[in-house]
Amino acid sequence: MLHFFNYTKHVTSFITRFPVLNYVFTQIIFWMSAYFFLAVITYLILLTAGTTFHPPVNFRAIIMTALFFGLSNGIASGLTDQLFERRFFYDRSLAIIIIGKALMSFIVFVVLISFVRAAAYRYLQENFIEAGNVAETEKPWEHFFQLLLLFNIITGLIISFINQVNKKYGPGILIPLMMGKYRKPKEEDRIFLFMDLKSSTSIAEALGHLKYSAFIRDSFMDINSVLSTYNAQVYQYVGDEIVITWPIWKGVLPLYCIQFFFACEAKFNDRSKHYLNQYGQVPQFKAGLHMGKVTAVEVGDIKRDIAYHGDTLNTAARIQSICNEHNKYFLASKHVLENSEVEKYYHTESLGMIALKGKKQPIEIASITGIKTP
């Protein structure tokens, strides 16, 4: 029985601590698995050919070659992809990203295959090919190159698709999704943070809709750059609002969700020069935080997604909506404070029992204003 909760927990924890290493390791696993599959298929084809193939090829030679290609391609692709993702593809169009990554993959493949031909190929011939010498002609090598080139193109597309699915649903979600975990509603304990751009109407009027959209895009990109550090996942974007979520894990959360909001503010301050030059102002978000049980289910047909339902989301949204009314930027339910050590590390101020729109019973709300100094 696969324990989806533990799997997702450990995967997300590892990604948070070592994001680049995790990405490279994942690419190595993908590529080595793909080349291992190719090696097995190739060997079975050679066995089928029987005595028409001379000399017979040692299975160990095929596997070693495949693992070498998988390991090398995984490391090279993972590192180059991460390097260019952060430095070049950060704000590029999807077409540029696809073309650029395809070009990088081709360059990596040519370098790798050239190295094998110059160094490793002769070693494999001398040590792992049975029954004597092999004719050294250009024709077999051309077929070998064409086979691997075609295989790399197809495998690269599949791996790219898997990477995009991981980005869409978040780390540790793909395998549970494939196993059908969310086909039927499942109850989960989660934290939701609703972040909405403050004074969005006046900013939109001042900038105009095109520049305002660019302003929102840059703001969300900066928020996204902070996600992995705090185990955060984007649930959805709604206009100028972004909804962030975490599973509740004892001893880890919900302090991450508090730290995340202030990390976003710090990111905007670090990039204040960019925002002032481009838009004349620095973004500031107001936020509402709540935690509790929700129902998760896979929805849609033409466009599928994982949706969360329940009072927890509604309450978090309502908490965020009263920030302006109380002239506060970050509000949380008392329930969050009671189930964490937030008050030990952050300044909080109770606003008392507040009746939220759509809720029969008032709940206690607190403002979180900043970290306590030692």
Side-chain angles (χ1 to χ4, degrees):
M1 181 69 180
L2 180 62
H3 297 286
F4 293 113
F5 178 81
N6 289 332
Y7 164 77
T8 305
K9 174 181 177 180
H10 294 312
V11 168
T12 307
S13 177
F14 182 79
I15 289 174
T16 301
R17 296 178 62 189
F18 312 105
V20 176
L21 180 62
N22 171 76
Y23 185 83
V24 174
F25 179 74
T26 302
Q27 301 312 300
I28 292 173
I29 296 298
F30 285 160
W31 281 104
M32 290 186 71
S33 300
Y35 270 101
F36 180 81
F37 176 77
L38 176 65
V40 173
I41 295 297
T42 302
Y43 186 68
L44 291 176
I45 292 174
L46 295 177
L47 287 180
T48 304
T51 56
T52 61
F53 183 81
H54 297 285
V57 178
N58 191 314
F59 181 62
R60 189 158 64 123
I62 299 179
I63 293 298
M64 288 188 64
T65 305
L67 294 181
F68 170 77
F69 269 97
L71 178 64
S72 302
N73 215 5
I75 293 174
S77 298
L79 290 176
T80 55
D81 199 39
Q82 280 290 289
L83 176 65
F84 281 85
E85 185 77 36
R86 294 170 180 270
R87 295 176 179 269
F88 182 73
F89 294 138
Y90 181 74
D91 57 352
R92 304 293 179 176
S93 68
L94 183 60
I96 294 295
I97 293 175
I98 293 174
I99 295 173
K101 288 187 176 181
L103 182 60
M104 283 193 308
S105 179
F106 178 76
I107 293 173
V108 168
F109 171 75
V110 170
V111 171
L112 184 59
I113 200 73
S114 299
F115 170 79
V116 171
R117 184 173 189 180
Y121 187 62
R122 183 176 295 277
Y123 175 80
L124 291 173
Q125 280 184 324
E126 293 174 353
N127 291 274
F128 298 110
I129 297 182
E130 301 172 355
N133 296 323
V134 177
E136 296 183 7
T137 63
E138 288 295 318
K139 209 65 179 175
W141 181 262
E142 289 178 9
H143 295 325
F144 181 64
F145 175 82
Q146 293 164 3
L147 171 65
L148 290 187
L149 178 60
L150 180 61
F151 179 76
N152 262 52
I153 293 173
I154 297 174
T155 304
L157 291 174
I158 295 173
I159 292 177
S160 178
F161 169 76
I162 294 173
N163 289 334
Q164 292 303 313
V165 172
N166 267 327
K167 283 186 178 181
K168 176 176 175 58
Y169 292 108
I173 298 297
L174 179 59
I175 290 181
L177 193 66
M178 292 176 63
M179 298 296 291
K181 177 185 178 183
Y182 297 106
R183 295 298 287 175
K184 294 182 179 180
K186 301 290 183 181
E187 192 175 69
E188 295 184 358
D189 292 310
R190 281 192 166 268
I191 295 174
F192 284 90
L193 177 71
F194 281 69
M195 295 177 61
D196 187 62
L197 182 66
K198 187 175 177 60
S199 306
S200 57
T201 302
S202 59
I203 295 175
E205 290 177 350
L207 296 178
H209 65 278
L210 290 178
K211 207 164 186 178
Y212 176 70
S213 294
F215 182 72
I216 293 296
R217 176 205 61 200
D218 288 357
S219 301
F220 285 169
M221 291 290 282
D222 282 337
I223 291 174
N224 272 259
S225 69
V226 181
L227 290 171
S228 61
T229 306
Y230 298 96
N231 276 0
Q233 301 172 6
V234 175
Y235 171 42
Q236 59 185 197
Y237 302 94
V238 184
D240 52 20
E241 180 180 74
I242 181 172
V243 183
I244 311 295
T245 183
W246 295 260
I248 300 174
W249 296 332
K250 185 177 179 181
V252 178
L253 293 175
L255 282 185
Y256 273 174
C257 58
I258 308 294
Q259 296 166 354
F260 176 79
F261 176 81
F262 292 107
C264 290
E265 283 197 330
K267 182 70 175 182
F268 294 142
N269 288 333
D270 290 342
R271 296 245 301 158
S272 60
K273 186 176 181 180
H274 162 77
Y275 284 105
L276 291 173
N277 289 338
Q278 293 292 322
Y279 310 107
Q281 53 199 305
V282 178
Q284 189 169 40
F285 281 76
K286 52 189 178 179
L289 182 68
H290 189 50
M291 60 186 284
K293 292 188 179 296
V294 295
T295 301
V297 64
E298 188 178 346
V299 296
D301 185 17
I302 296 176
K303 182 182 183 300
R304 298 198 173 202
D305 208 343
I306 297 174
Y308 296 102
H309 305 117
D311 183 65
T312 299
L313 283 93
N314 296 330
T315 301
R318 299 304 183 198
I319 292 173
Q320 183 273 126
S321 68
I322 64 171
C323 284
N324 286 344
E325 179 182 337
H326 295 272
N327 196 29
K328 302 294 184 182
Y329 290 100
F330 192 10
L331 298 179
S333 64
K334 183 67 174 178
H335 183 56
V336 172
L337 274 62
E338 290 173 345
N339 288 274
S340 67
E341 297 181 336
V342 172
E343 292 174 298
K344 288 178 59 176
Y345 305 101
Y346 291 87
H347 295 287
T348 63
E349 176 190 351
S350 176
L351 304 183
M353 302 296 291
I354 298 177
L356 300 175
K357 184 178 180 181
K359 295 187 66 68
K360 295 181 179 179
Q361 299 295 329
I363 65 171
E364 186 171 354
I365 306 294
S367 170
I368 304 174
T369 56
I371 192 168
K372 290 181 177 179
T373 54

